Amino acid sequence: MTLHLHNTYTRQKDPFEPIDAANARMYVCGPTVYDDIHIGNARPLVVFDVLARLLRHEYGNDHVTYVRNITDVDDKIIERAAENGEEIDALTLRTTENFHAAAAAVGCMAPDVEPRATDHIAQMIVLIEDLIGKEHAYEAEGHVLFHVPSMPDYGKLSGRNRDEMIAGARVDVAPYKRDPSDFVLWKPSSDEQPGWDSPWGRGRPGWHLECSAMSAEHLGRSFDIHGGGVDLVFPHHENEIAQSRCAHPDESFARYWVHNGYLMSEGEKMAKSVGNFYTVTDLLDEFPGEALRLALLKSQYRQPLDFSKDGVREARQELNRFYRALGLRQDALDGEEGPKDISYVIPADVVSALEDDLNTPLAIAGLHVAADAVFAAETPEEILRATGALKAAGRLLGLLQMEPEIWFQGDGDAAIDALIAERIAARSAKDFARADEIRDELTAQGIVLEDGAGGTTWRREG
RNA sequence: GGCCCGGUGGCAGAGUGGUUAUGCAGAGGACUGCAAAUCCUUGUACGUCGGUUCGAUUCCGGCCCGGGCCUCCA
């Protein structure tokens, strides 16, 4: 099967055909850097990281451009900096660094380009001028507004018409708007607020503008995939489409709109008052990042996901099984007559699962099949082939790239090694009482022992 | 109120018009000094009520439940 993606714009699964197979291009809405990311923010990160990996698999590593922006100008940032008594630059820098650390911890590769909104103010101003010139935007009281009725097919992405939106509007309409549905492209800044000089006075951009400007700058006015969470479909992506299509009427802008489903936590909407609000950093104190990643990938990306710590624990159990299988590789390599070459052939069922709109749960089932093959393998050749397949499949999902020993034991522990040596001695002397005593002692520390044919190994659990 | 999404076995979670998902947990067995791991076996699944059909968890409609969005605005 070839890659198919569910396209919000067409509301169906479409075969993916890039504009230029030599350069498949994807833009994903990144974070607004006013606070550390929570596990709900991590879902699109991980989902689109898998999509980027899959695209690189399909088109070649150098034939994909993945852009994920940093929004570092936003009223939430201004408010938070004021609350913290912190400079805006300090807040955005710190938050960006934390974001990078969290993304890496959950196994996400860096995007090819990570543009910052504040580095693209000039492009945004040009875009606004273009929209004003084409009579899709107008200036009013220091603001520039996009005039929604100037775009006949506005609302196609989110499937709503203008009358419905006005009927359902909960917010009072600003008096300077020509039409209630018009939205802000540029707004004035007070002296204390961050601002840039513009033809309309000192001000700052509206929320939706940066993505139109930055995607055009780094991917061109037409590109392939635009991604983000479902909560961005309206108004953010709808308005991006309005800005970009009206400014560049001969261009398609994004052709495939891909949106991940919403995340709940412990059965409820995530909220600090409920106690189910987990930042990625907090979770990393308790769990390996890879377990978080697998927990997120165990649901298909469009499905609502109920995140839970129990779910992460289960994901860690699954990873134990995979790493146990991968651990057999070293034994095979250590064999004197064993082959030294490892082939990394991704099982076809894993690829086809991902090609079917990123069916990660089915792909993970394929990982279990691959692990079964490892355990069933008898010769060193078979083990190397099977572990190579498992590891290659894992890499496509951004999993299983650690050395098994590191996964289970971290940096190791001389005291544990000493106790194990003592226990081996006790066992060969048939002093099972002492051997069990040592094992109980280690169990109390969260260390699980395994007496295998190749000796005794251990792992941390807990 | 409008628009949209989802309800699968103890739990998580795929999929399908008639045939085994998969994993985690549980039970029994093999193996083990005992364990752990691994292997084998095992358990009532498809919200509800109708309809279409030879046959629906899978298609259609109603209902119930859960969730999301409904613009920048002080």
Side-chain angles (χ1 to χ4, degrees), chain A residues 5 68 77 143 174 189 232 241 362 364 394 428 435 456:
Chain A
L5 291 173
R68 188 184 64 213
I77 294 173
H143 296 71
S189 291
L232 296 179
I241 289 173
L362 195 57
I364 290 162
S428 36
T456 297

Side-chain angles (χ1 to χ4, degrees), chain A residues 173-286:
Chain A
V173 176
Y176 47 78
K177 285 186 177 182
R178 283 185 198 167
D179 185 274
S181 61
D182 292 351
F183 61 90
V184 171
L185 298 173
W186 189 265
K187 58 185 160 188
S189 291
S190 67
D191 290 344
E192 310 84 60
Q193 292 170 327
W196 290 262
D197 290 330
S198 80
W200 319 286
R202 184 172 175 282
R204 60 192 192 282
W207 170 31
H208 316 294
L209 194 61
E210 85 253 14
C211 288
S212 286
M214 290 190 284
S215 61
E217 176 76 10
H218 297 284
L219 292 175
R221 292 174 178 182
S222 297
F223 56 96
D224 299 302
I225 297 170
H226 193 127
V230 271
D231 49 324
L232 296 179
V233 172
F234 188 88
H236 185 54
H237 288 162
E238 196 71 75
N239 290 350
E240 276 187 56
I241 289 173
Q243 295 159 355
S244 296
R245 287 259 178 86
C246 289
H248 312 129
D250 298 330
E251 303 279 347
S252 63
F253 192 44
R255 300 169 66 237
Y256 298 86
W257 289 86
V258 181
H259 293 102
N260 64 274
Y262 208 73
L263 179 141
M264 298 207 301
S265 177
E266 311 289 1
E268 290 186 77
K269 185 172 178 175
M270 198 158 52
K272 284 179 178 164
S273 57
V274 180
N276 63 349
F277 188 95
Y278 303 140
T279 69
V280 173
T281 308
D282 288 344
L283 288 167
L284 288 170
D285 288 339
E286 211 171 329

Side-chain angles (χ1 to χ4, degrees), chain A residues 25-159:
Chain A
R25 288 163 285 171
M26 174 164 75
Y27 185 94
V28 175
C29 290
T32 299
V33 284
Y34 71 101
D35 202 349
D36 291 342
I37 63 164
H38 56 67
I39 189 67
N41 299 320
R43 168 122 100 149
L45 269 180
V46 168
V47 163
F48 290 104
D49 180 68
V50 171
L51 181 51
R53 288 169 188 264
L54 181 62
L55 289 171
R56 292 186 204 286
H57 171 79
E58 303 271 324
Y59 296 99
N61 199 39
D62 300 329
H63 299 285
V64 174
T65 306
Y66 174 26
V67 178
R68 188 184 64 213
N69 70 288
I70 297 277
T71 294
D72 59 352
V73 51
D74 183 275
D75 287 1
K76 282 199 288 265
I77 294 173
I78 297 172
E79 287 163 19
R80 183 58 60 88
E83 284 169 27
N84 293 357
E86 186 176 20
E87 291 296 318
I88 283 174
D89 289 351
L91 171 65
T92 58
L93 180 65
R94 178 170 54 79
T95 311
T96 301
E97 283 176 354
N98 291 349
F99 167 70
H100 285 154
V106 295
C108 294
M109 299 186 301
D112 297 293
V113 187
E114 189 176 61
R116 300 168 64 91
T118 51
D119 292 334
H120 297 77
I121 302 292
Q123 290 90 331
M124 296 188 218
I125 289 174
V126 169
L127 188 59
I128 295 172
E129 289 178 318
D130 201 357
L131 288 168
I132 292 175
K134 292 186 167 78
E135 297 188 343
H136 287 292
Y138 59 94
E139 184 183 1
E141 297 182 24
H143 296 71
V144 180
L145 291 122
F146 184 93
H147 193 45
V148 168
S150 73
M151 184 184 189
D153 61 347
Y154 180 87
K156 182 157 188 306
L157 179 73
S158 54

